[in-house]
Amino acid sequence: DAGVTQSPTHLIKTRGQQVTLRCSPKSGHDTVSWYQQALGQGPQFIFQYYEEEERQRGNFPDRFSGHQFPNYSSELNVNALLLGDSALYLCASSLVTGGDEQFFGPGTRLTVL
Amino acid sequence: GESVGLHLPTLSVQEGDNSIINCAYSNSASDYFIWYKQESGKGPQFIIDIRSNMDKRQGQRVTVLLNKTVKHLSLQIAATQPGDSAVYFCADSWGGGNKLTFGTGTQLKVEL
């Protein structure tokens, strides 16, 4: 039973560039949430996707956008990168009818120079 | 906005001792609480969860206690092992929406 997978593992970008991160949920899960974790901090909720639509959104600017595909996998896009976007980006999957438990992937470490 | 916070940033314990990690939450509407363990370079790993209609829940070597009166959550780890060394986060949500609000974490260090 595959867990949550994310790609790439690490990524280095420069200010102003755009980035796309990818996530495959745990087998059987239909909901994907994205979190940003700055160094030494707890994860911060970005948004959540279910049925290919954004279901909830945290306090993040429109530069952060996402997408969910029919196979439940998801992408996180960040435009016009800022130095402050450097963080570990975590994907978590869950089952909308299965309660609140979320399973996290290993994350993508994004460094913006 | 309201958030979940932790009392102690670092906790050092001797191997074999019991560990207690505390967490205070402020959202009175929170109805679901969860503890995660995060090792360096990895994503958060589920430890144990509890709903607001319960006061205590036990797992393997771990126990979560919920005191809704004072909005306090604790994680107890029995017979702490070196492999328990990690950062522990509490998080909460409400309304079944899956949006988790995390605290800043407690670093647990197990000394041999």
Side-chain angles (χ1 to χ4, degrees):
Chain A
D1 180 20
V4 179
T5 59
Q6 292 186 244
S7 64
T9 305
H10 296 88
L11 203 53
I12 299 175
K13 292 285 188 179
T14 58
R15 282 179 296 174
Q17 285 189 311
Q18 177 265 344
V19 68
T20 297
L21 311 181
R22 296 176 176 81
C23 170
S24 291
K26 180 179 170 64
S27 178
H29 283 184
D30 56 12
T31 303
V32 173
S33 300
W34 286 93
Y35 292 80
Q36 179 195 67
Q37 185 177 24
L39 197 61
Q41 306 271 332
Q44 299 289 313
F45 177 80
I46 303 175
F47 44 52
Q48 182 184 83
Y49 277 83
Y50 170 66
E51 291 189 333
E52 302 180 48
E53 293 189 355
E54 185 179 289
R55 187 180 178 210
Q56 294 187 82
R57 190 178 182 92
N59 188 26
F60 279 80
D62 292 343
R63 297 187 297 109
F64 289 76
S65 63
H67 187 77
Q68 186 179 34
F69 299 94
N71 66 353
Y72 306 119
S73 67
S74 177
E75 288 182 349
L76 164 66
N77 300 293
V78 186
N79 295 322
L81 284 167
L82 304 174
L83 296 179
D85 294 332
S86 295
L88 180 68
Y89 287 85
L90 295 162
C91 169
S93 75
S94 55
L95 190 59
V96 71
T97 59
D100 300 283
E101 185 176 340
Q102 295 185 46
F103 294 84
F104 282 83
T108 293
R109 171 69 62 187
L110 173 65
T111 301
V112 182
L113 302 178
Chain B
E2 296 185 284
S3 63
V4 178
L6 296 175
H7 292 305
L8 298 172
T10 304
L11 176 65
S12 295
V13 299
Q14 293 291 121
E15 182 181 5
D17 287 351
N18 296 332
S19 302
I20 299 177
I21 301 173
N22 296 303
C23 175
Y25 66 95
S26 57
N27 186 355
S28 58
S30 293
D31 57 10
Y32 176 75
F33 305 86
I34 188 167
W35 284 98
Y36 284 98
K37 171 186 180 183
Q38 188 173 27
E39 296 173 287
S40 181
K42 297 183 179 180
Q45 176 187 358
F46 171 86
I47 300 173
I48 192 168
D49 60 0
I50 188 169
R51 297 198 176 277
S52 57
N53 61 351
M54 301 174 67
D55 296 323
K56 179 179 179 179
R57 191 170 188 213
Q58 290 182 292
Q60 186 177 11
R61 281 202 307 120
V62 294
T63 301
V64 56
L65 298 178
L66 176 63
N67 185 330
K68 295 180 287 294
T69 302
V70 296
K71 298 179 185 173
H72 184 267
L73 189 71
S74 69
L75 174 69
Q76 300 179 4
I77 305 173
T80 312
Q81 303 169 0
D84 294 327
S85 293
V87 176
Y88 289 80
F89 291 98
C90 63
D92 76 318
S93 70
W94 61 275
N98 295 143
K99 172 186 175 182
L100 292 173
T101 299
F102 283 81
T104 54
T106 293
Q107 175 76 56
L108 176 64
K109 296 182 178 180
V110 181
E111 299 171 349
L112 302 177

